[in-house]
Amino acid sequence: MVLFAITLISFLHACYGFQQGNRLMASAFHVSSEGTRKLPTIQETATSVEVDRQEQIETCEMESIKEHEEEKTESCRNENIAIADLTPEFSINIETTFHTNEELVSRSKEDVSSEKGRNRNHLSATKDKLQSYASLYNHFLEKHELLTKTLTSGSVGMIGDIMAQAFEHRLRVSKGKFILDVPRILGIFFECACLSAPVMHYSYDFLERVVPVQDDDFRSTEAFQKLNEQEKNIYSLKQWAAASFHVLADIFLLGPLYVLNIMFAASLFEGRIGSFALDMRSNFMPTLKTSVIASLGFMPLQIVAFKMLPTRFRLLYINFQDIIWSALVSFAAHKSHR
């Protein structure tokens, strides 16, 4: 019995312990369930707080941006007001500058136009003067051809000798007052007018008859018009060849005669006729050499002139060329008398 009672008490105690354990396990399970239920709530709260913080940051940024834009808008409004205040004066300055520039451009155009007009008038006046001189020369040439050529040649020769005397004066070591040698000038005038000009006049006419350059009669014929282009080119080459022949004859055939005439006239008018032979022996060849060199320098221009100009105008061209030629030859002819 005692043993049974002890066994019963142990069983009951074990049952009570089991019941208490179940209660404790239920309580723990309840607590665990509540904790599990409360954990998502805490996470949600943390997320909500983070969202709120982000919204506050965004709100602050938006407010900052809004304030910056308001300040910028206010600054722009103030600048616009300032510009609006300056606009009338600025517009006036622009308009004034524009009108001033327009006036300057207009005046510049007027000045250029007036300058062109003056130049055109000057050229026109010069052309008219040259045409009047040419008409006057043609008039005298038709009335008195030889006399006109001789006077023109004599005048040009005088100019050339004056240039030669001025050059000689500059070469002197002891330079005094420049005094023209009048007898020498008269001698050159006599040589050019009375000796060289008639020689050139008749010589050029003779060469043109023998070897024609300007064959105007043939050019006006029907036979010339029927020539083809190649035949016309050949005819033009013949004209250039004839002009070259005239120039070479003038330099090498007539040139020595021109030098002889100059030296004779210088000796005659300067009172040295007794020493003419001596002057010829000492100065003729150097003077002739100077004449040939000067003439060869002018040869291309002279060929063009003889090709283009009629015979009656060739001596006029030679007169202008002889301003330099006469100065050089006169300088060489008087070399031993300086």
Side-chain angles (χ1 to χ4, degrees), residues 18-19 53 102 132 137 156 169-170 198 239 273 321:
F18 179 77
Q19 186 178 5
R53 190 172 67 83
E102 272 193 340
S132 64
Y137 182 80
V156 170
H169 177 73
R170 292 177 63 88
Q239 286 184 305
I273 192 66
Q321 177 180 302

Side-chain angles (χ1 to χ4, degrees), residues 228-261:
N228 57 35
E229 193 67 25
Q230 184 177 2
E231 291 173 340
K232 288 182 180 179
N233 291 334
I234 294 174
Y235 178 78
S236 179
L237 289 175
K238 289 181 179 179
Q239 286 184 305
W240 285 108
S244 300
F245 173 77
H246 285 211
V247 173
L248 291 174
D250 184 48
I251 295 173
F252 294 103
L253 296 181
L254 300 178
L257 183 59
Y258 300 150
V259 173
L260 176 64
N261 291 338

Side-chain angles (χ1 to χ4, degrees), residues 47-65:
T47 304
S48 177
V49 170
E50 182 65 23
V51 171
D52 292 339
R53 190 172 67 83
Q54 291 294 335
E55 289 180 353
Q56 289 177 359
I57 292 172
E58 291 178 358
T59 303
C60 292
E61 290 180 352
M62 293 296 293
E63 290 178 354
S64 176
I65 293 172

